[in-house]
Amino acid sequence: MSLALDPAAQDLLFREARTANTFTDEPVTDEQVQAIYDLVKYGPTAFNQSPLRITLVRSPEARERLVKHMAEGNQPKTSAAPLVAILSSDNEFHEELPALFPHFPAAKDAFFSERPVRESAALLNSALQAAYFIVGVRAAGLAAGPMTGFDFAGVQKEFLDDDHTPLMVVNIGKPGENAWFPRSPRLAYEDVVTTV
């Protein structure tokens, strides 16, 4: 059985897509980021809670503030990428639930009145949204370089507040020269899927 999605699109989103390590200097526009968001916002989350928040790092000053918190191996590519996004979880996402989950507005208080419950839900669902975001970047014909090698507490203090937990940093742009490491192996279907 074949997939409904065109094979070229499958390649763009998955088979040929890689984590980029170098980028050209071609800018990534606000319009491109808006188009990416307008696509990936439809990905499902539990209770439609949509806890992902995106901080775009554009200015040289902000870039310098971010790079100092990146792991040494991630600093050069973060300095060179045309756009960098800090993806974080909004631990106060429940405040939006009456609008986002209108058929059960009481979900805000019934399920998410306690901060530890919100933090757990926000982490899981923002990670899911981050995956949609990476696929959306690829759908825009751009390369994504997601990274978790950074000082989480430092990035939170520098760019966020106590209600937002950093999830990952994503470099975004057109891939540059020697952008890709060789493709790493993947597990076979029979090693992953169990039928019971």
Side-chain angles (χ1 to χ4, degrees):
M1 176 180 172
S2 63
L3 299 173
L5 190 65
D6 177 79
Q10 296 172 36
D11 288 343
L12 176 71
L13 299 179
F14 296 100
R15 290 192 202 98
E16 300 300 324
R18 304 283 207 12
T19 295
N21 293 291
T22 67
F23 297 89
T24 69
D25 59 2
E26 183 177 332
V28 176
T29 67
D30 289 337
E31 291 76 19
Q32 286 172 299
V33 177
Q34 178 78 52
I36 291 165
Y37 177 73
D38 285 342
L39 176 66
V40 304
K41 69 183 179 184
Y42 294 109
T45 58
F47 291 91
N48 197 34
Q49 61 189 246
S50 307
L52 183 71
R53 301 297 179 262
I54 303 166
T55 303
L56 298 178
V57 180
R58 285 201 184 277
S59 73
E61 297 79 17
R63 182 77 56 108
E64 186 176 326
R65 288 168 40 218
L66 175 60
V67 167
K68 72 180 181 182
H69 296 292
M70 301 303 295
E72 186 176 344
N74 291 332
Q75 289 179 356
K77 53 191 170 187
T78 304
S79 294
L83 181 63
V84 183
I86 301 168
L87 305 187
S88 64
S89 303
D90 182 358
N91 296 309
E92 298 298 313
F93 69 86
H94 69 307
E95 296 295 345
E96 305 292 341
L97 281 182
L100 292 175
F101 206 60
H103 55 284
F104 185 27
K108 171 189 171 189
D109 297 315
F111 296 104
F112 301 108
S113 61
E114 296 181 18
R115 176 72 178 234
V117 173
R118 290 198 305 274
E119 288 178 352
S120 178
L123 180 62
L124 175 64
N125 286 279
S126 62
L128 184 59
Q129 287 187 283
Y132 302 144
F133 181 79
I134 292 166
V135 173
V137 168
R138 294 171 175 178
L142 300 169
M147 302 167 290
T148 56
F150 61 90
D151 174 4
F152 280 66
V155 167
Q156 182 178 29
K157 184 176 180 182
E158 193 82 44
F159 292 94
L160 306 171
D161 59 31
D162 290 341
D163 290 332
H164 294 80
T165 303
L167 186 66
M168 67 180 66
V169 173
V170 183
N171 293 327
I172 304 169
K174 291 285 187 181
E177 188 175 344
N178 300 316
W180 321 116
F181 294 141
R183 169 73 78 193
S184 295
R186 296 298 192 266
L187 294 172
Y189 177 85
E190 57 272 13
D191 295 329
V192 175
V193 177
T194 303
T195 302
V196 294

